[in-house]
Amino acid sequence: MSRKMKSLEQSLKNMQGLSVQKSVSYSDLCMFSHVHLPAGFKMPKFEKYDGHKDPVANLKRYCNQLRSAGGKEELLMAYFGESLSGITSEWYTDQEITHWHVWDDMARDFVHQFQYNVDNAPDRNSLSNLKKKMAESFCEYAVKWHEQGVRVNPPMDKIEMVTVFLQAQKVDYFQNMMSVMGKPFAEAIKIGEMVENGLKTGRILSHAAFKATSQAAQNGLEGLMNNNGNEEGAMMDSSSRGPAGQ
C-alpha cells in the first residue's frame, strides 16, 4: 500500500472515531440553528461575564444591550453566549436547550449556577483581613483586593475603599501609605509599589528590622551598664580591703 493510501485510510479512521464521540454537523453544533438575526441588526460588543460576579447584573447588562432585539426571547436566548467567557461559556454550550422553553427558564438556570458569587460575596470585614501574600507583588495583591472590593454590597465609595484597603495592610505598608487617604485607589497602588521597592532596597527599614535593631541596641546598653556596674563593684570591694598585706 502506498504512503498516500495509508494516509487517506488513517484520515478516514480519525473521522469515523470523531463521529462516534461527537457530531460536528451544523445542526448539532448550533444551539439555536432556527434563530436568525433581523435584517440590519448590529450585534453590540458585550462585556464578557466570566463567572466571578453577580450573574443577575450580567443578565441586566445583556438585556439592556439587546434592546433592539425587540424582546424576542428566542433571539435573546440564542445570542446570550456572546456575553459569556471561560467557565460560563462552557456551562452555556453544555446545556440541553430543550429544557429552555422561554427566556425565564434559561435565566433561572444561569442564576442558580452562579449564585454562589453573591452568597460568598466579601464584606468590609473580610476585606480588611485580606493580606498580601509573600509570593505576590503589591500590584498583583492590590488588583486582586480591588476586584473583591467592588463586589461589596452596599457598595463602597472611592474614599471608603482606600480606607478599608489601608486597614488591610501590614504595618510596614500601613505606616508608609497614610498619605493616600482620600486619594484614588490607583494612587494607593502607586504608593504601595514605592514602599515595596523601598523595603526591598533597604531605603525603608521594615518594622521587624527596626524592632530587631532596637532590641540589639537595648541589649548592648544593658550589657554595658552591667559591665560598668561590675567594674565599679570590684573597685569598691578592692578599696574596702585596703592595701595588700595590711
Side-chain angles (χ1 to χ4, degrees):
M1 185 181 295
S2 67
R3 182 179 299 177
K4 184 177 292 186
M5 288 295 294
K6 288 182 178 180
S7 177
L8 179 59
E9 183 178 321
Q10 185 61 46
S11 297
L12 289 172
K13 287 181 178 179
N14 291 340
M15 291 179 65
Q16 290 172 354
L18 182 62
S19 63
V20 171
Q21 296 173 19
K22 287 187 178 181
S23 172
V24 292
S25 66
Y26 173 78
S27 59
D28 291 327
L29 291 176
C30 186
M31 297 177 68
F32 296 88
S33 57
H34 61 288
V35 178
H36 304 283
L37 288 170
F41 179 83
K42 186 176 180 180
M43 182 68 70
K45 186 176 181 180
F46 295 108
E47 179 181 345
K48 302 289 186 179
Y49 176 73
D50 60 4
H52 293 137
K53 296 180 182 178
D54 186 353
V56 176
N58 181 69
L59 291 175
K60 288 181 179 179
R61 284 194 301 269
Y62 175 75
C63 290
N64 285 330
Q65 288 180 297
L66 275 183
R67 288 192 302 271
S68 55
K72 296 180 179 179
E73 294 195 5
E74 282 193 336
L75 187 61
L76 290 172
M77 293 163 66
Y79 289 94
F80 182 61
E82 297 297 316
S83 71
L84 308 176
S85 67
I87 59 172
T88 58
S89 179
E90 293 177 8
W91 171 85
Y92 176 76
T93 55
D94 284 342
Q95 299 309 297
E96 178 53 65
I97 63 172
T98 57
H99 298 157
W100 296 341
H101 302 292
V102 293
W103 164 264
D104 286 2
D105 294 334
M106 189 208 72
R108 192 177 300 109
D109 285 351
F110 175 74
V111 172
H112 177 74
Q113 179 69 22
F114 298 102
Q115 178 66 23
Y116 65 85
N117 287 289
V118 178
D119 297 337
N120 297 323
D123 55 24
R124 288 160 175 78
N125 183 58
S126 64
L127 282 173
S128 65
N129 291 313
L130 182 58
K131 308 295 183 183
K132 175 182 172 299
K133 297 179 181 178
M134 290 291 293
E136 61 187 353
S137 69
F138 186 85
C139 183
E140 291 171 337
Y141 159 69
V143 170
K144 180 183 71 176
W145 193 98
H146 188 268
E147 288 176 348
Q148 297 299 313
V150 296
R151 296 177 57 203
V152 171
N153 193 25
M156 297 184 288
D157 60 29
K158 294 179 179 179
I159 294 177
E160 185 184 10
M161 183 168 288
V162 171
T163 301
V164 177
F165 181 60
L166 283 176
Q167 293 172 356
Q169 302 312 305
K170 296 178 181 179
V171 62
D172 291 339
Y173 286 88
F174 182 81
Q175 291 178 342
N176 292 283
M177 290 181 61
M178 296 304 294
S179 61
V180 302
M181 288 289 293
K183 295 183 179 180
F185 196 86
E187 188 69 17
I189 296 179
K190 186 186 301 182
I191 298 299
E193 288 182 308
M194 292 175 65
V195 174
E196 179 180 48
N197 184 60
L199 290 167
K200 287 181 178 179
T201 59
R203 294 179 180 177
I204 296 178
L205 188 64
S206 69
H207 178 72
F210 177 77
K211 187 176 181 180
T213 301
S214 299
Q215 186 63 48
Q218 180 66 26
N219 292 339
L221 180 60
E222 290 177 354
L224 180 61
M225 292 176 65
N226 289 335
N227 288 337
N228 289 338
N230 291 336
E231 290 177 0
E232 290 177 0
M235 292 176 63
M236 290 178 64
D237 184 60
S238 176
S239 63
S240 64
R241 291 197 298 267
Q246 286 187 357

